Amino acid sequence: MPPAFEPHPSGPAVPTPSDVRDAYREGLGPRERAVLWSWTGFTATFAGVRGITYSIRRGGGPFRNVSVGGAHLHHYLWGIGLLAGVGAVAVRGTDRTRRHPLVALAYGSGLALIVDEFALLLDLKDVYWEREGRISIDLGVGLVAAGGTSFSALPLLRRLRADRRRGRRRR
C-alpha cells in the first residue's frame, strides 16, 4: 500500500489540522463519520479499560474497584448503561441528535466495556483474570479494534492523500 502522504514541493508532507478537518467534513458522509467515531470509541475505551484493570490488579495507580454494598460492579454494567442511553436516543431522538458524534462514540465505548468482560458474561463466573486465553483474547480484540478503526478511517486518509497529490492545501 502506498504511503498516505508523499512529500510535495509546495509544503510539508504532514497534513495540517485544517486539512484533516476539511477532509472529515467534505469526504465523509454521516454514516462514515458514525462508523469512524464508533470504532474510535471502541478502540480507545478497550485500550483504556485494559490499562485501568491491569493497574487495579497490580495495586498501583489511582484507580480502584467500585463496589456497592460489598458487591463489585463490573464495567460491563456501565457498558449496558451506555448502550441503553444510545438506544433511547435512537428510539426518541431527532435525526440531528441520532447523528451526533457523541452518540456513535458512546455506542463504541459501551460495546467495548461489555466485550472486555465477555468471558464473565458467558460463564457467569468471574474468570476475568484466569490464565487460559486471557492474552489471546486481549490481543484478538485489540487487533480487531485497531483494524476496525483503521478501515473506518480509510476514506478520510484517501481524501487527504488525494488533496496532497493535487497540491491543494487549505488554510
Side-chain angles (χ1 to χ4, degrees):
M1 177 178 221
F5 303 102
E6 298 171 11
H8 193 276
S10 68
V14 178
T16 65
S18 172
D19 294 334
V20 174
R21 184 183 60 245
D22 291 343
Y24 174 81
R25 288 181 180 163
E26 297 170 11
L28 299 179
R31 289 181 183 175
E32 293 165 319
R33 290 178 191 173
V35 168
L36 178 59
W37 280 106
S38 293
W39 275 111
T40 300
F42 184 95
T43 303
T45 301
F46 187 81
V49 82
R50 296 301 326 130
I52 290 169
T53 55
Y54 281 116
S55 169
I56 291 170
R57 178 91 169 155
R58 246 188 11 252
F63 302 104
R64 302 286 177 259
N65 284 323
V66 177
S67 298
V68 173
H72 173 71
L73 296 181
H74 290 274
H75 52 268
Y76 74 81
L77 294 171
W78 310 116
I80 291 170
L82 276 172
L83 290 185
V86 168
V89 170
V91 170
R92 184 72 175 118
T94 64
D95 276 345
R96 183 174 182 216
T97 304
R98 283 192 292 264
R99 291 179 185 226
H100 196 281
L102 288 178
V103 174
L105 189 68
Y107 175 77
S109 295
L111 193 58
L113 291 169
I114 294 168
V115 167
D116 187 62
E117 290 196 314
F118 183 72
L120 169 64
L121 293 169
L122 185 64
D123 291 338
L124 298 179
K125 293 185 280 183
D126 194 354
V127 294
Y128 193 80
W129 293 107
E130 295 297 319
R131 184 169 170 84
E132 297 86 14
R134 190 70 236 169
I135 292 173
S136 63
I137 290 170
D138 290 350
L139 288 175
V141 174
L143 290 173
V144 168
T149 301
S150 299
F151 282 119
S152 66
L154 280 177
L156 180 70
L157 295 173
R158 285 185 188 124
R159 164 64 191 267
L160 289 167
R161 183 175 55 200
D163 285 354
R164 196 73 199 131
R165 285 185 176 159
R166 285 191 297 266
R168 189 170 91 190
R169 295 191 58 83
R170 294 194 169 110
R171 307 248 186 257

